[in-house]
Amino acid sequence: MKRFVSFIVTSFLLTSLWIPSAFAAEEKKNTDIVSNVKSAILIERDTGTVLYEKNSNEELPPASMTKIMTMLLIMEAIDEGKLSWNEKVRTSEYAASMGGSQIFLEPGEEMTTKEMLRGIAIGSGNDASVAMAERIAGSEDAFVDMMNAKAKELGLKHTFFKNTTGLPVSGHYSTAADMAIMAKELLKYEGITKFTGMYEAYLRENTDKKFWLVNTNKLVRFYPGVDGLKTGFTAEAKYCLTATAQKDGMRVIAVVFGAPTSKERNAQVTKLLNYAFAQYQTHPMFKRNQTLGLAKVSKGKEKKIEAVTSEPISILTKKGEKIQDVKQKVILQKNLKAPITKGDQVGKIELIKNGKVILESPLVASKSVKEAGWWTLYKRAFGMFTKSGK
């Protein structure tokens, strides 16, 4: 078993702490917040606290909200250096043949990753989704395997993907709760909202095939603070939406499945967002990629690695409540051995109130550390012997 070394930093904040775990039981009483949808959920992004839910574990077709997972894997590939923003991605005949929502890619046409992601996030392009899947995994089937593996990694027990697009197929399903977790993970990559938050944009702008994109998520334009994430519609799924909004430092995620019209879908999501911002507030603690410690690495080219936050970290309270006497406990893994890949977990941070852990979040390696060669290890050992002989 891995051993840990820890240190505690005590932060005296303001007044009293509202424990997030108390929210769920309270919100079950408020089952009338939304209506006329098959399922819904409302969560705070940083803590993942459920503020409201209705049939949130019912397995339903997610339609194009499927592309939240597609976009997540694209952002991961960029973050890991496996894909670049300006790389040209070629469209196969298969990708160009996708029906439904599309940006009308032609076989052999090339667009940059940035342009493809714009086509997916704003225009819900099925063709762009498949083109990116083929670039990252080699084929759509292989990419779907990656999607399901990621779902398993996130602990999603009621989600299974059959394609990258959400086009109707038997056995392709998710839930409001699972979709909220996928959205939470996607929003770790703050750059994604630069795409999902656009109301309109153009592709092929300097050609005679200029293509206008208009976001199907109208709340991006009409609800202050909404900057994503993804709509969905098929005859089977009806109107669906996973939306996110930020206000006064708090980001929330609202999901609805199965509204009868797009107007009703938007109205129900608006109710959820209004409720969240009227009732709750967050107290930001750390940003993503903030260094909280140095973990020792054995047999690596470098002896230490920065342990950074893997996501934004906040404490959630009822509106007007303050927090105090919260201890921050950083726990770094001991006996880490190279090689280490950027993003590998190297520790965790715990926020503690009255002896109880109220929030826990992983700390990850800020960069990769390769295994040291024998000559480097020899010089280190020789240096140790020299020091001990003095």
Side-chain angles (χ1 to χ4, degrees):
M1 180 177 290
K2 294 177 179 177
R3 297 171 57 204
F4 292 85
V5 60
S6 67
F7 61 90
I8 302 176
V9 181
T10 305
S11 297
F12 293 97
L13 301 172
L14 295 176
T15 54
S16 61
L17 175 72
W18 185 280
I19 304 298
S21 60
F23 295 163
E26 176 185 339
E27 302 316 328
K28 287 181 180 178
K29 301 175 185 177
N30 300 317
T31 53
D32 58 345
I33 293 178
V34 298
S35 58
N36 213 15
V37 297
K38 290 182 179 178
S39 68
I41 197 167
L42 174 68
I43 71 169
E44 191 275 327
R45 202 239 71 99
D46 289 0
T47 64
T49 303
V50 176
L51 307 179
Y52 171 84
E53 66 87 27
K54 174 182 179 180
N55 304 328
S56 63
N57 288 315
E58 184 178 350
E59 295 175 357
L60 295 165
S64 279
M65 292 194 301
T66 296
K67 296 184 180 83
I68 289 175
M69 179 61 89
T70 303
M71 290 189 289
L72 171 56
L73 293 182
I74 292 171
M75 295 301 290
E76 278 192 354
I78 293 168
D79 190 61
E80 293 168 2
K82 298 175 181 177
L83 182 68
S84 69
W85 285 113
N86 294 319
E87 177 181 343
K88 294 274 189 174
V89 177
R90 190 174 180 82
T91 304
S92 69
E93 288 193 17
Y94 174 68
S97 72
M98 292 296 108
S101 301
Q102 54 187 303
I103 59 173
F104 300 99
L105 291 168
E106 296 181 359
E109 183 176 2
E110 293 183 339
M111 283 191 180
T112 64
T113 299
K114 189 179 293 186
E115 289 169 328
M116 289 285 192
L117 188 54
R118 196 180 299 156
I120 296 168
I122 305 172
S124 196
N126 294 330
D127 43 4
S129 296
V130 173
M132 290 304 303
E134 291 175 335
R135 161 58 186 86
I136 292 171
S139 69
E140 185 185 23
D141 287 345
F143 190 84
V144 170
D145 288 341
M146 290 176 62
M147 294 169 72
N148 287 318
K150 188 64 179 181
K152 187 175 181 180
E153 178 189 323
L154 293 174
L156 310 184
K157 298 180 179 179
H158 301 283
T159 293
F160 193 81
F161 298 111
K162 291 287 190 74
N163 58 45
T164 66
T165 60
L167 287 169
V169 61
S170 178
H172 184 103
Y173 57 84
S174 189
T175 68
D178 283 2
M179 197 59 63
I181 294 171
M182 282 181 255
K184 181 181 188 299
E185 188 72 8
L186 176 58
L187 287 164
K188 283 169 51 173
Y189 305 100
E190 295 177 358
I192 190 62
T193 54
K194 293 178 181 178
F195 296 88
T196 61
M198 284 185 180
Y199 181 68
E200 59 182 352
Y202 287 95
L203 293 173
R204 309 181 186 92
E205 195 161 1
N206 298 318
T207 73
D208 57 358
K209 295 182 179 180
K210 188 175 180 179
F211 188 72
W212 185 36
L213 297 172
V214 179
N215 204 322
T216 52
N217 181 6
K218 303 305 179 188
L219 295 181
V220 166
R221 184 175 183 181
F222 296 110
Y223 192 106
V226 170
D227 51 8
L229 276 168
K230 193 69 196 71
T231 59
F233 171 78
T234 64
E236 180 186 16
K238 303 302 181 186
Y239 291 87
C240 309
L241 174 59
T242 296
T244 184
Q246 191 169 30
K247 182 179 179 181
D248 298 329
M250 180 172 75
R251 180 174 287 282
V252 297
I253 298 165
V255 185
V256 297
F257 275 72
T261 65
S262 60
K263 184 177 180 180
E264 188 68 22
R265 170 185 68 190
N266 295 344
Q268 298 309 314
V269 168
T270 295
K271 287 181 185 179
L272 290 171
L273 297 178
N274 287 344
Y275 175 76
F277 293 127
Q279 295 293 319
Y280 299 98
Q281 66 183 113
T282 57
H283 306 265
M285 302 292 287
F286 302 102
K287 295 181 179 180
R288 182 173 179 254
N289 289 328
Q290 189 168 337
T291 302
L292 296 186
L294 289 173
K296 293 181 179 179
V297 181
S298 65
K299 298 184 178 180
K301 283 190 172 182
E302 298 178 47
K303 294 182 179 181
K304 293 182 178 180
I305 185 72
E306 289 184 348
V308 301
T309 51
S310 64
E311 60 184 342
I313 299 173
S314 302
I315 293 175
L316 179 69
T317 71
K318 276 284 195 174
K319 198 86 171 196
E321 294 285 342
K322 306 296 182 183
I323 55 175
Q324 71 168 13
D325 300 342
V326 175
K327 295 179 180 179
Q328 303 166 14
K329 185 176 182 181
V330 174
I331 304 173
L332 301 176
Q333 286 182 212
K334 208 170 183 181
N335 299 329
L336 283 170
K337 291 183 179 180
I340 293 173
T341 302
K342 177 185 176 182
D344 284 352
Q345 185 169 349
V346 296
K348 63 181 178 178
I349 180 170
E350 295 177 345
L351 300 185
I352 303 168
K353 173 72 174 180
N354 296 330
K356 294 183 178 180
V357 177
I358 59 171
L359 187 145
E360 181 179 303
S361 185
L363 299 179
V364 299
S366 62
K367 61 181 181 180
S368 298
V369 178
K370 294 182 179 179
E371 193 171 0
W374 70 269
W375 179 242
T376 301
L377 296 175
Y378 171 78
K379 287 192 292 183
R380 285 181 189 168
F382 185 78
M384 292 172 60
F385 292 143
T386 302
K387 288 178 183 179
S388 63
K390 289 181 178 179

